[in-house]
Amino acid sequence: MGKPAFDYPLPVGQINLPDWVELEESFREIFARNYYTNHGPLVREFDERLADYLGVRHAVCVTNGTVALMVALASLDLKGQVIVPAFTFPATAQAVTWAGLEPVLCDVDPTTHCLSAELVEPLIGPNTAAILGVHLWGQACDPQGLGVLSEKHNIKLLYDAAHGLGCARANQSIASMGELACFSFHATKVLNAAEGGCITTNDDYLAGVVRTARNFHVSETFTKAALRINGKMSEAQAAMGLLSLKQLDTNIAANRGRYERYRTGLADVPGVSFIDYAGDDKSNYQYVVLQSAHRDSIVAYLKTHNVLARKYFSPGLHQSYPFKERRHVGNNKFSVTDTLCASLLQLPTGQRVSVRDVDRICELVAHCPTSA
Ligand SMILES: *Cc1c(COP(=O)(O)O)cnc(C)c1O
């Protein structure tokens, strides 16, 4: 075998880091204040800046995206079942279990890879309390159709928007879809706060409940919450998050450059295809997702060249512990999820990947032994 195309592993973390000098300055200020948690000035500022950026009345920061989901579900004070997609990151469904509810797995649409009203409606029964849609790859998850369903059946609609920061459909921010939306600031996401997340809402009452539920200390609000947790974001996280937010538009523009370069570079390669965003979708271009019947050989071949493409997500939740042991719940039809799990891969992007790197990765995919 010849020399790998890259002599260092190309990250799949899609990492975007803020400026080190500014971060150091921010940390000096935290030390000078001698105040590093419990709704400090940086967390308050981050809450406000995020709400502004996302075009929503309230953003409430928490420790991470999973805790955001747990706090959001608990704040709605639900009982019974929550419909979630089988094709998602495990946290979506596990958070439902943590909140004392029962996840009901639903297959996804073959074009959008998200839930749709058509797929969800047959699963709604007397115990259904909510629909938890996932805006996968930053595409809006049928906000209109699911909104109609939630009204018709008098159930709640909330969203896992971990992929969707900075995304919109027809100029409506993903942050203002559903009653609550949950974001993640993990390293793999477009905005990184050294772990972190937030919950957004336009509902003043719900925002109060969420603010109470995220901590055990004297609440900033006096709204009652059924269940509370220590989900507070620290000042250190907020420092990182604020600087990442400053760079977000630049990072999204650079992501878009890389994404378009991938699309052009792979346009003539037979057997591989991209997912298409809806015409009125605004994306953060954080996910370069490719579909191919030869997915496993492409991933293996890229790995020999130090390009760590990911099988994302695989396997589906219906095939994963603990959900695979609960196959009686839902309708047990997961053929689209199974196909996606077997054919999708995610290519590296983010600050550490140059446009020149993208060109080399496209060449590798084009010359992959079994992709032609
Ligand atoms: C990243 C992610 C989460 C979890 O967020 P964390 O911050 O890692 O806890 C949940 N759902 C989806 C779809 C994700 O991609």
Side-chain angles (χ1 to χ4, degrees):
M1 206 195 306
K3 210 171 149 304
F6 294 91
D7 52 14
Y8 52 93
L10 223 65
V12 276
Q14 328 284 46
I15 295 162
N16 296 310
L17 285 172
D19 182 72
W20 165 247
V21 175
E22 285 188 283
L23 185 67
E24 191 179 13
E25 179 55 32
S26 198
F27 264 70
R28 286 187 195 285
E29 289 167 10
I30 295 174
F31 275 58
R33 277 193 296 273
N34 204 8
Y35 194 100
Y36 58 88
T37 191
N38 285 9
H39 323 304
L42 295 181
V43 169
R44 286 171 198 270
E45 184 182 344
F46 195 29
D47 277 3
E48 277 174 33
R49 294 257 171 112
L50 278 167
D52 271 359
Y53 184 88
L54 294 169
V56 68
R57 282 181 64 77
H58 305 276
V60 184
C61 285
V62 291
T63 343
N64 58 55
T66 307
V67 166
L69 289 164
M70 289 158 61
V71 169
L73 286 157
S75 297
L76 291 170
D77 201 9
L78 308 168
K79 282 189 183 52
Q81 299 180 329
V82 179
I83 299 172
V84 296
F87 189 65
T88 179
F89 189 66
T92 315
Q94 299 242 0
V96 172
T97 309
W98 275 106
L101 298 155
E102 183 179 25
V104 173
L105 303 180
C106 180
D107 206 5
V108 293
D109 180 273
T111 310
T112 65
H113 306 174
C114 295
L115 292 183
S116 69
E118 201 183 320
L119 292 164
V120 168
E121 188 156 32
L123 295 180
I124 297 176
N127 295 324
T128 310
I131 304 164
L132 172 51
V134 181
H135 298 300
L136 212 62
W137 321 137
Q139 310 164 94
C141 168
D142 196 10
Q144 217 166 354
L146 294 179
V148 169
L149 270 194
S150 94
E151 277 188 30
K152 179 173 159 195
H153 296 275
N154 193 24
I155 53 180
K156 303 286 181 189
L157 172 63
L158 72 163
Y159 279 111
D160 177 340
H163 287 191
L165 199 94
C167 302
R169 170 162 298 168
N171 290 325
Q172 187 191 359
S173 165
I174 268 180
S176 63
M177 295 172 184
E179 271 153 288
L180 296 165
C182 302
F183 292 86
S184 163
F185 310 138
H186 180 256
T188 52
K189 311 304 198 281
V190 73
L191 185 143
N192 150 27
E195 300 271 358
C198 78
I199 299 154
T200 58
T201 184
N202 282 319
D203 183 316
D204 295 346
Y205 171 77
L206 268 181
V209 180
V210 168
R211 285 185 198 282
T212 306
R214 79 167 154 179
N215 77 105
F216 288 114
H217 298 269
V218 174
S219 178
E220 317 143 85
T221 55
F222 297 98
T223 322
K224 247 177 90 181
L227 199 59
R228 299 171 79 179
I229 192 169
N230 179 7
K232 297 186 306 291
M233 177 177 268
S234 73
E235 289 290 278
Q237 288 178 289
M240 186 91 165
L242 278 164
L243 292 175
S244 300
L245 187 58
K246 238 168 94 173
Q247 285 192 348
L248 183 58
D249 286 335
T250 312
N251 286 334
I252 290 177
N255 265 355
R256 182 173 191 161
R258 284 181 284 262
Y259 177 84
E260 281 167 2
R261 193 84 173 189
Y262 269 123
R263 285 206 74 142
T264 324
L266 294 172
D268 298 328
V269 179
V272 298
S273 57
F274 282 86
I275 51 152
D276 279 311
Y277 293 108
D280 54 356
D281 270 356
K282 177 173 172 260
S283 175
N284 56 27
Y285 299 98
Q286 180 72 355
Y287 303 91
V288 182
V289 181
L290 208 61
Q291 189 157 21
S292 168
H294 305 294
R295 191 271 308 272
D296 288 350
S297 1
I298 297 176
V299 170
Y301 179 67
L302 289 178
K303 194 167 173 210
T304 66
H305 285 282
N306 263 332
V307 177
L308 308 174
R310 278 173 106 184
K311 302 177 185 182
Y312 208 55
F313 307 95
S314 187
L317 295 191
H318 62 295
Q319 302 280 23
S320 317
Y321 184 80
F323 308 109
K324 69 177 179 191
E325 285 162 22
R326 301 186 195 155
R327 291 291 289 274
H328 59 287
V329 184
N331 61 11
N332 292 330
K333 287 185 195 146
F334 299 105
S335 62
V336 176
T337 297
D338 286 334
T339 305
L340 297 177
C341 289
S343 61
L344 292 189
L345 73 147
Q346 203 189 125
L347 294 170
T349 186
Q351 276 172 2
R352 307 276 286 278
V353 180
S354 69
V355 167
R356 171 92 193 87
D357 292 340
V358 170
D359 291 344
R360 292 170 83 189
I361 295 168
C362 289
E363 271 168 45
L364 292 174
V365 174
H367 293 112
C368 171
T370 50
S371 71

